Coordinates of all heavy atoms in Angstrom, one line a residue:
Chain A
K100 N 12.6 21.4 -9.1 CA 12.2 22.8 -9.1 C 10.8 22.9 -9.7 O 10.5 22.3 -10.8 CB 13.2 23.6 -9.8 CG 14.6 23.7 -9.2 CD 15.5 24.7 -9.8 CE 16.9 24.7 -9.2 NZ 16.8 25.0 -7.7
G101 N 10.0 23.7 -9.1 CA 8.6 23.9 -9.6 C 8.3 25.3 -9.9 O 9.2 26.1 -10.1
I102 N 7.0 25.6 -10.0 CA 6.6 27.0 -10.3 C 6.7 27.9 -9.1 O 6.7 27.4 -8.0 CB 5.2 27.0 -10.9 CG1 4.2 26.5 -10.0 CG2 5.2 26.2 -12.2 CD1 2.8 26.6 -10.4
N103 N 6.7 29.2 -9.3 CA 6.7 30.2 -8.3 C 7.8 30.1 -7.2 O 7.6 30.5 -6.1 CB 5.3 30.1 -7.6 CG 4.2 30.4 -8.5 OD1 4.3 31.0 -9.5 ND2 3.0 29.8 -8.2
G104 N 8.9 29.5 -7.7 CA 10.1 29.5 -6.8 C 10.1 28.3 -5.8 O 11.0 28.2 -4.9
F105 N 9.2 27.4 -5.9 CA 9.1 26.3 -5.0 C 10.1 25.2 -5.5 O 10.3 25.0 -6.7 CB 7.7 25.7 -4.8 CG 6.8 26.5 -4.0 CD1 6.0 27.5 -4.5 CD2 6.8 26.3 -2.6 CE1 5.2 28.3 -3.7 CE2 6.0 27.1 -1.8 CZ 5.2 28.0 -2.3
E106 N 10.6 24.4 -4.5 CA 11.3 23.2 -4.9 C 11.2 22.2 -3.8 O 10.7 22.5 -2.7 CB 12.8 23.5 -5.1 CG 13.6 24.1 -3.9 CD 15.0 24.4 -4.3 OE1 15.3 24.9 -5.4 OE2 15.9 24.1 -3.5
A107 N 11.5 20.9 -4.2 CA 11.3 19.8 -3.2 C 12.5 18.8 -3.5 O 12.9 18.7 -4.6 CB 10.0 19.1 -3.4
E108 N 12.9 18.2 -2.4 CA 14.0 17.2 -2.5 C 13.5 15.8 -2.1 O 12.9 15.6 -1.0 CB 15.2 17.6 -1.7 CG 16.4 16.7 -1.9 CD 17.6 17.2 -1.2 OE1 17.5 18.1 -0.4 OE2 18.7 16.5 -1.4
F109 N 13.7 14.8 -3.0 CA 13.3 13.5 -2.7 C 14.4 12.8 -2.0 O 15.6 12.8 -2.5 CB 13.0 12.7 -4.0 CG 12.8 11.2 -3.9 CD1 11.7 10.8 -3.2 CD2 13.7 10.3 -4.4 CE1 11.5 9.4 -3.1 CE2 13.5 9.0 -4.2 CZ 12.4 8.5 -3.6
K110 N 14.2 12.3 -0.8 CA 15.2 11.7 0.1 C 14.6 10.3 0.4 O 13.8 10.1 1.3 CB 15.4 12.4 1.3 CG 16.1 13.8 1.1 CD 16.5 14.4 2.4 CE 17.3 15.7 2.2 NZ 17.7 16.4 3.5
K111 N 15.2 9.3 -0.4 CA 14.7 7.9 -0.2 C 15.0 7.4 1.2 O 14.1 6.7 1.8 CB 15.3 7.0 -1.3 CG 14.8 5.6 -1.3 CD 15.3 4.9 -2.5 CE 14.8 3.4 -2.6 NZ 15.3 2.7 -3.7
S112 N 16.1 7.7 1.7 CA 16.5 7.1 3.0 C 15.6 7.6 4.1 O 15.4 6.9 5.1 CB 18.0 7.5 3.3 OG 18.1 8.9 3.4
E113 N 15.1 8.8 3.9 CA 14.2 9.4 4.9 C 12.7 9.3 4.5 O 11.8 9.7 5.3 CB 14.5 10.9 5.1 CG 15.9 11.1 5.6 CD 16.3 12.6 5.8 OE1 15.4 13.4 5.6 OE2 17.5 12.9 6.0
T114 N 12.4 8.7 3.4 CA 11.1 8.7 2.8 C 10.4 10.0 2.9 O 9.2 10.1 3.3 CB 10.2 7.5 3.4 OG1 10.1 7.8 4.8 CG2 10.9 6.2 3.1
S115 N 11.1 11.1 2.5 CA 10.6 12.4 2.6 C 10.6 13.1 1.3 O 11.3 12.8 0.4 CB 11.3 13.2 3.7 OG 12.6 13.5 3.2
F116 N 9.7 14.1 1.2 CA 9.6 14.9 0.0 C 9.1 16.3 0.4 O 8.0 16.8 0.1 CB 8.7 14.3 -1.0 CG 8.7 14.9 -2.4 CD1 9.9 15.0 -3.2 CD2 7.5 15.4 -3.0 CE1 9.9 15.6 -4.4 CE2 7.5 16.0 -4.3 CZ 8.7 16.0 -5.0
H117 N 10.0 17.0 1.2 CA 9.6 18.3 1.8 C 9.6 19.4 0.7 O 10.5 19.4 -0.1 CB 10.5 18.7 2.9 CG 10.5 17.6 4.0 ND1 9.5 16.8 4.3 CD2 11.5 17.3 4.9 CE1 9.8 16.0 5.4 NE2 11.0 16.3 5.7
L118 N 8.6 20.3 0.8 CA 8.5 21.4 -0.1 C 9.1 22.7 0.6 O 8.8 23.0 1.7 CB 7.0 21.7 -0.4 CG 6.7 22.8 -1.4 CD1 7.2 22.4 -2.8 CD2 5.2 23.1 -1.4
T119 N 9.9 23.4 -0.2 CA 10.6 24.6 0.4 C 10.5 25.7 -0.6 O 10.3 25.6 -1.8 CB 12.1 24.3 0.7 OG1 12.7 24.0 -0.5 CG2 12.2 23.2 1.7
K120 N 10.7 26.9 0.0 CA 10.8 28.2 -0.8 C 11.6 29.1 0.0 O 11.3 29.3 1.2 CB 9.4 28.7 -1.2 CG 9.5 30.0 -2.0 CD 8.1 30.5 -2.5 CE 8.2 31.7 -3.4 NZ 6.9 32.2 -3.9
P121 N 12.6 29.8 -0.6 CA 13.5 30.6 0.2 C 12.8 31.8 0.8 O 13.2 32.3 1.9 CB 14.5 31.1 -0.8 CG 14.4 30.1 -2.0 CD 13.0 29.7 -2.0
S122 N 11.8 32.4 0.1 CA 11.2 33.6 0.6 C 9.7 33.6 0.3 O 9.3 33.6 -0.9 CB 11.9 34.8 -0.1 OG 11.3 36.0 0.3
A123 N 8.9 33.7 1.3 CA 7.5 33.6 1.1 C 6.9 34.9 0.6 O 7.3 36.0 1.0 CB 6.8 33.2 2.4
H124 N 5.9 34.7 -0.2 CA 5.1 35.9 -0.7 C 3.7 35.8 -0.3 O 3.2 34.7 -0.1 CB 5.2 35.9 -2.3 CG 4.8 37.2 -2.9 ND1 3.4 37.4 -3.2 CD2 5.4 38.3 -3.3 CE1 3.3 38.6 -3.7 NE2 4.5 39.2 -3.8

Side-chain angles (χ1 to χ4, degrees):
Chain A
K100 294 187 184 299
I102 61 173
N103 301 334
F105 284 94
E106 61 182 39
E108 186 172 9
F109 173 67
K110 292 187 177 180
K111 186 175 180 179
S112 61
E113 299 177 7
T114 61
S115 70
F116 190 59
H117 302 333
L118 182 70
T119 60
K120 183 174 180 178
S122 176
H124 191 273

